[in-house]
Amino acid sequence: MTESASESTEATQSDTVAVGIDIGGTGIKGAIVNVATGELLTDRKKLPTPDGGEPDAIVATTKELLASLGDIPADASVGICFPAVVRHGRTMSAANVSKKWIGFEAEALFEKELGRDITFVNDADAAGYAEVTYGAAKGREGLIILTTLGTGIGTALIYNGVLIPNAELGHIQIDGGDYEPKAAYSAKEREDLSWKKWAKRLNTYYHELEALLSPDLFIVGGGVSKNYGDFFPLLELNTEIVVAELRNNAGIMGAARLSTTKSLRLE
Ligand code: BGC
């Protein structure tokens, strides 16, 4: 923890301080967060996700990450987000992680190993919750769809300030198959697609979401969102589309916030 971060943590030791941890396919990131403002009170720490992404190894790395954050206020809650459907603390899918997570009592294992009460949620839900609370869609009403374009496509649906969890719209069927492997950023990299070719697929994908759900706003997150200037101009949509503001910290901030509100209604 940096000196200034340590001072601000001490100054705000109350229910506004929480830990957010974002588990992804390549890295596990975390920080202590002021959930009133979304400000990170420590440097963001990152450790590589263990090869194979199996439960025991991921829990051990998460424990190490938590220890690296320094002194965590005793009353701070911990929120963890993960790239899978999460229902009542159980992970119910595994698109880009070990299949061992399917039907796994994830929240219970993390609570046992970390020795703390935790809140366990889907990664895109955490990011969407953060963008509506602190970022690109703060104060917006209507139907907002956050999409994270990375290894997979994460989606969060927020309607009039209520998060509808586990939307999993990254896996909608287009042309007879799951469209995630075609439109995720990993497809652009894997197939060495130009921005133009990739944007054509994104157009198809976002048009399908428009046809199904008539959203009021799309938010685009994920690492590639920093290059939005290369592909936003190539999208021809009927819906307003904006870049996520919180970038790589959205999952951390949303998981931390959700661990204190314990509610899908934004406050
Ligand atoms: C998973 C989602 C996750 C997304 C982004 C998808 O493959 O099915 O649960 O939110 O990747 O990590």
Side-chain angles (χ1 to χ4, degrees), residues 23-25 82-86 93-97 122-125 148-155 166 168-171 178 180:
I23 299 177
F82 190 83
V85 170
V86 182
S93 67
N96 296 302
V97 284
N122 171 265
D123 57 354
D125 282 344
T148 59
L149 304 174
T151 310
I153 299 180
T155 57
N166 295 311
E168 292 294 328
L169 296 170
H171 298 290
D178 181 346
E180 181 182 86

Side-chain angles (χ1 to χ4, degrees), residues 2-267:
T2 61
E3 208 180 303
S4 60
S6 137
E7 279 164 19
S8 52
T9 304
E10 278 165 21
T12 52
Q13 278 198 15
S14 68
D15 58 359
T16 59
V17 175
V19 178
I21 295 177
D22 183 354
I23 299 177
T26 54
I28 302 180
K29 303 172 285 200
I32 300 178
V33 179
N34 176 340
V35 292
T37 61
E39 181 198 358
L40 300 197
L41 298 173
T42 58
D43 292 339
R44 187 181 69 170
K45 302 280 182 187
K46 184 171 179 180
L47 292 173
T49 305
D51 284 346
E54 302 216 343
D56 286 347
I58 287 194
V59 174
T61 305
T62 305
K63 202 168 175 177
E64 202 186 317
L65 183 96
L66 200 60
S68 77
L69 295 178
D71 292 337
I72 297 172
D75 59 353
S77 57
V78 178
I80 300 181
C81 66
F82 190 83
V85 170
V86 182
R87 298 203 65 205
H88 311 296
R90 288 177 90 192
T91 39
M92 304 302 290
S93 67
N96 296 302
V97 284
S98 156
K99 300 292 174 218
K100 289 193 179 158
W101 290 95
I102 300 175
F104 191 77
E105 292 285 357
E107 190 171 270
L109 178 69
F110 277 91
E111 286 190 336
K112 180 168 157 264
E113 294 299 320
L114 302 180
R116 285 175 166 264
D117 192 24
I118 63 151
T119 299
F120 203 79
V121 294
N122 171 265
D123 57 354
D125 282 344
Y129 196 81
E131 287 292 341
V132 180
T133 306
Y134 313 110
K138 191 162 185 234
R140 292 285 299 249
E141 291 286 294
L143 180 62
I144 297 165
I145 305 182
L146 167 109
T147 57
T148 59
L149 304 174
T151 310
I153 299 180
T155 57
L157 275 188
I158 294 135
Y159 182 66
N160 281 354
V162 179
L163 174 72
I164 298 149
N166 295 311
E168 292 294 328
L169 296 170
H171 298 290
I172 52 174
Q173 304 274 312
I174 301 178
D175 296 338
D178 181 346
Y179 209 61
E180 181 182 86
K182 291 206 154 165
Y185 178 59
S186 54
K188 180 183 184 312
E189 290 196 305
R190 191 175 55 245
E191 298 178 44
D192 201 15
L193 300 174
S194 63
W195 289 110
K196 198 171 163 199
K197 285 202 168 136
W198 186 51
K200 199 164 169 234
R201 295 185 187 184
L202 290 178
N203 258 317
T204 303
Y205 176 67
Y206 286 112
H207 274 300
E208 190 69 14
L209 293 184
E210 285 181 330
L212 291 171
L213 292 158
S214 302
D216 295 289
L217 178 69
F218 286 124
I219 307 176
V220 180
V224 70
S225 63
K226 64 177 181 297
N227 301 107
Y228 70 95
D230 290 315
F231 63 99
F232 270 29
L234 305 171
L235 300 177
E236 289 169 8
L237 305 172
N238 298 313
T239 309
E240 184 185 353
I241 185 161
V242 297
V243 66
E245 276 176 19
L246 310 172
R247 302 280 158 80
N248 279 334
N249 291 335
I252 294 174
M253 290 158 72
R257 173 92 177 187
L258 276 161
S259 76
T260 60
T261 62
K262 302 249 186 228
S263 160
L264 302 178
R265 185 176 293 281
L266 279 80
E267 291 171 358

